[in-house]
Amino acid sequence: MRLTILLASVAALALAGPSATTAQEPQPQQEEVVVDQGVLRPLPIAVVSFTGQNGAELSGVIRDDLRRSGYFEPLDPASFIETGLTLANAPNFPQWTSIGAQAVLYGEVTPRPDNRNDYGFRLYDPYRQCQLVAWKFTATPLQWRRIGHKIADLVYQRMTGESGFFDSRVVFVSESGTQLNRLSRLAISDQDGHDPVFLTQGDEIIMSPRFSMSDPNEITYVALGRDYSRIYLRNLQTGRTESLGEFDGQVLAPRFSNDGSKLAFSIIRGGNTDVYVMDLASRQLRRLTSDPGIDTSPSFSPDGSQIVFTSDRSGSARLYTMRADGSGQRPISRGGGIYTAPAWSPRGDLIAFTKQAGGRFSTGVMRTDGSGERILSSSYFEEGPSWAPNGRYIMFARQAPGGDTRLWTVDLSGRVVSQAGYPGRGSDPAWSPLLDEQPARLAATGPDACPT
């Protein structure tokens, strides 16, 4: 049975400033994380176990999210001197600076008469002795893990100045079985790999799942049967699945425009592969490329005005851009090697890609004009980059020689490279937008609020 995690009610209420402890002599001011630094030491943060139902587990989710980002180093709870923090009180600052904590997070889970819980938390700077964030969510007890991701997003946002990405999901192709009898199923999980759910039964070959960036409940994917290839649209909330119809030729690599109104994809006809775009309201189909060879893997720019795609029209696969109507086609990749699977950043400033050169596969980024190419990760085999909703992390599939294909992530510095949380075999990941909109930045209120 398909599991959906929906936040029944989220109330964002700034908590009033608590009573402060006895004033202490100010200590040296901490430095907040600057995410554009090439090299930085992860910021030591104390995440105190929340009190109340599932409080310890919720704190563990927050620690894991922050650690995985590469910008935080959650301290061992066994080193904490002060325990039993409540929302009514500020921390004892010297006890936290003495163990090197540059931020302290704590909170409470409080039951409500309507069988939901209030999840309140505070984030403090113990060096400046002031509050960074105070916030409260209301949700059902079953949604504690989702709340942990949302709290981690707010901590990440406040400390780095960048929007978070933890309250999101990933849809991908789950693989099982042997090489000769492989089973591929459409799957979805939280971005940390928890709560995986299979959305198809394995009777079709699944390819190219993608989220609509305008609606985290809408996805598209390709299903290959014995004598057909179809593009499906699926609503994750209702379970409704519909085909875009039958096409004269095999369909490949569908991707939504950012506003969700169009779908770009490729069709193989008569030995030629071209890019098409479909208006989803009218189902009108328009051909955008007509060069001999293979034109595929289209990806819209965030404003919908341009499309990046792969073409081998020059003899080897390179990246090209064109206007959304198909005009102005031009190559942008400049290095040697084979370029595939381009993906336009949600920020609009970069294009991610897979590159094959020198017997290795790499995940890299370049500016939208092809300049500034940077390789972030290289291995025996990797492919299929997909951007996190904040445009700072990329998920892709990687395989070691003789090993299984797994999901991995890398940040834009190339410094934070790690296997994603899903423990099974997987490929072709696609990252969702944030599941709920969040304010761009939160500032604490009250007399002890830190300056932003």
Side-chain angles (χ1 to χ4, degrees):
M1 181 172 62
R2 187 173 64 92
L3 173 65
T4 56
I5 302 176
L6 302 175
L7 195 62
S9 173
V10 177
L13 303 172
L15 302 174
S19 58
T21 58
T22 304
Q24 305 288 336
E25 185 69 23
Q27 300 187 37
Q29 178 174 322
Q30 77 166 80
E31 292 186 5
E32 296 184 7
V33 179
V34 179
V35 296
D36 287 329
Q37 291 178 350
V39 178
L40 57 85
R41 183 175 65 87
L43 185 143
I45 183 171
V47 181
V48 183
S49 289
F50 282 41
T51 62
Q53 185 180 14
N54 294 117
E57 295 90 343
L58 182 149
S59 302
V61 169
I62 298 169
R63 289 189 197 100
D64 289 344
D65 280 349
L66 296 178
R67 181 182 294 108
R68 196 167 52 256
S69 76
Y71 296 111
F72 297 88
E73 180 186 349
L75 299 176
D76 184 351
S79 69
F80 298 170
I81 302 170
E82 183 177 28
T83 59
L85 278 168
T86 67
L87 294 178
N89 297 296
N92 185 317
F93 300 120
Q95 293 192 10
W96 296 102
T97 57
S98 69
I99 65 170
Q102 295 198 28
V104 181
L105 175 73
Y106 61 98
E108 298 176 356
V109 182
T110 308
R112 295 164 52 98
D114 60 4
N115 296 320
R116 295 182 296 165
N117 288 333
D118 285 337
Y119 299 82
F121 76 93
R122 295 186 186 281
L123 180 68
Y124 265 86
D125 178 339
Y127 286 90
R128 289 188 286 175
Q129 301 187 2
C130 55
Q131 179 176 276
L132 293 162
V133 176
W135 211 245
K136 182 172 71 175
F137 296 100
T138 299
T140 68
L142 294 177
Q143 295 164 333
W144 63 268
R145 177 174 285 279
R146 172 84 187 281
I147 296 301
H149 293 319
K150 296 179 78 64
I151 292 173
D153 274 337
L154 295 179
V155 173
Y156 181 95
Q157 179 176 302
R158 180 61 178 88
M159 300 304 294
T160 69
E162 301 275 342
S163 61
F165 63 97
F166 303 113
D167 185 29
S168 60
R169 294 183 288 183
V170 177
V171 65
F172 57 97
V173 177
S174 173
E175 302 173 351
S176 59
T178 65
Q179 191 75 19
L180 297 177
N181 188 24
R182 178 170 296 178
L183 187 70
S184 74
R185 291 180 289 180
L186 182 65
I188 189 169
S189 72
D190 293 348
Q191 54 78 28
D192 60 356
H194 281 266
D195 299 323
V197 178
F198 297 115
L199 303 177
T200 61
Q201 301 303 311
D203 50 352
E204 298 173 307
I205 297 174
I206 302 301
M207 300 171 58
S208 305
R210 295 292 182 267
F211 275 96
S212 168
M213 292 296 101
S214 65
D215 185 348
N217 285 310
E218 290 287 337
I219 63 171
T220 183
Y221 61 95
V222 171
L224 302 181
R226 288 188 176 182
D227 56 357
Y228 64 85
S229 66
R230 293 175 184 152
I231 296 176
Y232 286 103
L233 301 178
R234 182 181 180 115
N235 186 285
L236 298 172
Q237 190 170 24
T238 65
R240 183 175 182 270
T241 303
E242 61 175 313
S243 169
L244 289 187
E246 300 296 328
F247 296 91
D248 179 18
Q250 182 176 328
V251 290
L252 298 170
R255 204 181 281 262
F256 287 99
S257 61
N258 242 40
D259 63 2
S261 67
K262 299 179 180 65
L263 204 67
F265 53 94
S266 294
I267 302 178
I268 304 175
R269 287 176 177 166
N272 200 47
T273 305
D274 286 302
V275 175
Y276 293 74
V277 65
M278 173 179 281
D279 182 275
L280 292 177
S282 65
R283 298 299 169 94
Q284 282 190 311
L285 187 65
R286 180 177 182 181
R287 183 176 178 177
L288 299 185
T289 67
S290 57
D291 283 87
I294 300 173
D295 296 338
T296 189
S297 301
S299 175
F300 282 95
S301 63
D303 64 3
S305 66
Q306 297 184 76
I307 293 174
V308 62
F309 63 102
T310 295
S311 177
D312 68 352
R313 64 184 66 177
S314 65
S316 64
R318 302 175 65 185
L319 301 189
Y320 286 71
T321 58
M322 60 182 167
R323 299 185 187 94
D325 62 3
S327 63
Q329 298 178 24
R330 65 186 185 94
I332 60 168
S333 55
R334 303 171 183 177
I338 297 172
Y339 292 82
T340 57
W344 214 300
S345 165
R347 297 182 177 193
D349 58 339
L350 295 172
I351 293 170
F353 56 86
T354 298
K355 182 176 181 178
Q356 182 183 0
R360 293 175 67 81
F361 287 77
S362 302
T363 299
V365 294
M366 63 176 66
R367 298 189 187 98
T368 59
D369 63 358
S371 64
E373 179 179 320
R374 290 185 291 126
I375 297 301
L376 306 180
S377 169
S378 266
S379 64
Y380 168 76
F381 178 80
E382 53 191 64
E383 65 175 353
S386 176
W387 290 94
N390 68 352
R392 182 153 292 277
Y393 297 82
I394 295 170
M395 187 174 290
F396 58 96
R398 173 186 280 188
Q399 182 183 13
D404 294 327
T405 305
R406 307 281 181 171
L407 304 183
W408 284 68
T409 59
V410 63
D411 78 326
L412 279 185
S413 72
R415 182 181 61 86
V416 184
V417 186
S418 62
Q419 188 171 325
Y422 179 66
R425 292 154 55 186
S427 62
D428 218 347
W431 218 317
S432 80
L434 286 175
L435 300 185
D436 286 312
E437 291 185 4
Q438 294 284 1
R441 191 168 178 109
L442 298 173
T445 58
D448 60 345
C450 289
T452 56

